[in-house]
Amino acid sequence: MIKVKTKEEIEIMRESALVVSKTLGMLAKEVKPGVTTLFLDKLAEEFIREQNAIPGFLGLYDFPNTLCMSPNSQVVHGIPNKKPLIEGDIISIDCGAIKNGFYGDHAYTFAVGEIDAEIQKLLDVTKESLYVGIRELKVGNRVGDVGFAIQNFTENHGYGVVRELVGHGLGREMHEDPEMPNYGRRGRGKKFVEGMVVAIEPMTNLGTHKIKQHSDGWTITTLDNKPSAHFEHDVAIVNGKPELLSTFKYIYDAFGIESNEEDEFRANS
Ligand code: MG
Ligand code: MG
């Protein structure tokens, strides 16, 4: 059952999304060669608690940490560890937090130092596919319209769209209805209505779309061990249109980058 949010609830969720957005912005300055994912995890936990929020993943389905940290061929759900990141790695950081009873859920894939141009393009295309999908999140459209748009855009670049893991509704629960696959058919699936809040999160592989699950019960990698990228925004349907609750602004501030990519999804755009 889809739990539609009131205007007041969406304002509360904007705060939850701000917590995770600021956390990724804080981490953007810390991601570099030699740093361990466990160190970044501890920084994030402290930072989230300082904002009167609770780490959203810690203990959820028994996940042991604050962040899902998935380097290189890991798709999602990687567990932080003591292995240092090295120059040329990519690292997907997925961050969840609960504030005032509502979840924020937000992910970005960072380059560690200099990375190959081929891998940078994978990151750029995956992030662009997120916006291609968000554009379809409007009243009158259906879940399949978002999935189709992401899949079509991604596959036109020759990349693989992960099937087994999907975006989702977001609210008092981390995973609410509807599931939001990154593949699909136009005009299929549940209809979007005013007040829905969803997490859209393309997971895109440089090679095959196929994945494998590892014996720790969490880690998921690409079947061909080629890199995978992951970007995630929290989006509400307001006045019939998609409105971003999360923002990569804090990441871009850390990098000293100007970006207008989110402008079309702001309240007064
Ligand atoms: Mg997430
Ligand atoms: Mg999510």
Side-chain angles (χ1 to χ4, degrees), residues 92-108:
S92 154
I93 304 184
D94 194 345
C95 180
I98 311 165
K99 186 160 184 179
N100 300 316
F102 284 88
Y103 278 91
D105 183 15
H106 193 39
Y108 193 91

Side-chain angles (χ1 to χ4, degrees), residues 5-264:
K5 277 73 186 176
T6 64
K7 282 222 179 325
E8 292 73 23
E9 286 173 326
I10 289 173
E11 288 315 305
I12 295 170
M13 290 194 72
R14 199 185 299 282
E15 277 191 60
S16 311
L18 192 61
V19 171
V20 286
S21 300
K22 286 181 173 175
T23 304
L24 291 187
M26 179 276 293
L27 292 169
K29 297 177 206 141
E30 305 290 338
V31 172
K32 51 195 157 201
V35 163
T36 71
T37 51
L38 196 57
F39 172 75
L40 298 173
D41 186 76
K42 294 300 163 213
L43 285 184
E45 180 173 355
E46 279 174 32
F47 189 84
I48 289 168
R49 293 193 192 281
E50 279 167 12
Q51 295 176 82
N52 298 316
I54 302 165
F57 297 161
L58 186 63
L60 185 69
Y61 315 118
D62 291 328
F63 188 75
N65 290 85
T66 293
L67 301 174
C68 294
M69 305 282 271
S70 311
N72 302 321
S73 66
Q74 291 188 18
V75 179
V76 286
H77 301 167
I79 298 174
N81 60 35
K82 291 181 177 169
K83 190 169 166 236
L85 295 171
I86 60 172
E87 181 91 14
D89 280 348
I90 56 170
I91 178 81
S92 154
I93 304 184
D94 194 345
C95 180
I98 311 165
K99 186 160 184 179
N100 300 316
F102 284 88
Y103 278 91
D105 183 15
H106 193 39
Y108 193 91
T109 303
F110 295 90
V112 181
E114 290 287 315
I115 62 171
D116 287 350
E118 182 190 43
I119 300 174
Q120 183 61 54
K121 191 174 171 216
L122 172 70
L123 302 190
D124 294 344
V125 168
T126 306
K127 181 152 65 69
E128 181 65 33
S129 78
L130 172 58
Y131 296 114
V132 166
I134 291 170
R135 251 171 234 132
E136 301 293 324
L137 189 80
K138 52 193 177 191
V139 169
N141 271 7
R142 291 174 182 267
V143 166
D145 294 310
V146 171
F148 172 84
I150 293 172
Q151 180 179 19
N152 189 49
F153 182 81
T154 303
E155 291 181 349
N156 279 342
H157 283 89
Y159 299 140
V161 173
V162 172
R163 307 291 201 273
E164 292 84 347
L165 300 143
V166 297
H168 48 91
L170 188 69
R172 289 187 182 277
E173 307 288 335
M174 169 69 78
H175 296 118
E176 296 187 353
D177 280 343
E179 289 196 340
M180 295 290 303
N182 299 302
Y183 60 92
R185 293 169 69 181
R186 282 222 171 278
R188 296 294 180 92
K190 287 185 182 157
K191 248 188 185 169
F192 297 130
V193 296
E194 183 75 9
M196 277 177 77
V197 178
V198 299
I200 300 184
E201 48 180 318
M203 291 154 259
T204 304
N205 299 347
L206 186 64
T208 178
H209 70 81
K210 292 183 179 160
I211 59 170
K212 61 189 170 201
Q213 170 91 53
H214 290 247
S215 56
D216 63 11
W218 285 107
T219 311
I220 291 164
T221 57
T222 57
L223 193 62
D224 57 11
N225 289 317
K226 288 185 178 174
S228 183
H230 176 214
F231 291 84
E232 177 176 29
H233 266 314
D234 301 339
V235 196
I237 300 181
V238 179
N239 298 326
K241 296 186 306 180
E243 187 179 319
L244 279 184
L245 302 182
S246 55
T247 175
F248 295 138
K249 171 187 184 300
Y250 299 98
I251 294 172
Y252 298 147
D253 285 352
F255 292 155
I257 294 171
E258 291 269 341
S259 171
N260 58 7
E261 70 188 26
E262 297 176 353
D263 290 0
E264 68 183 279

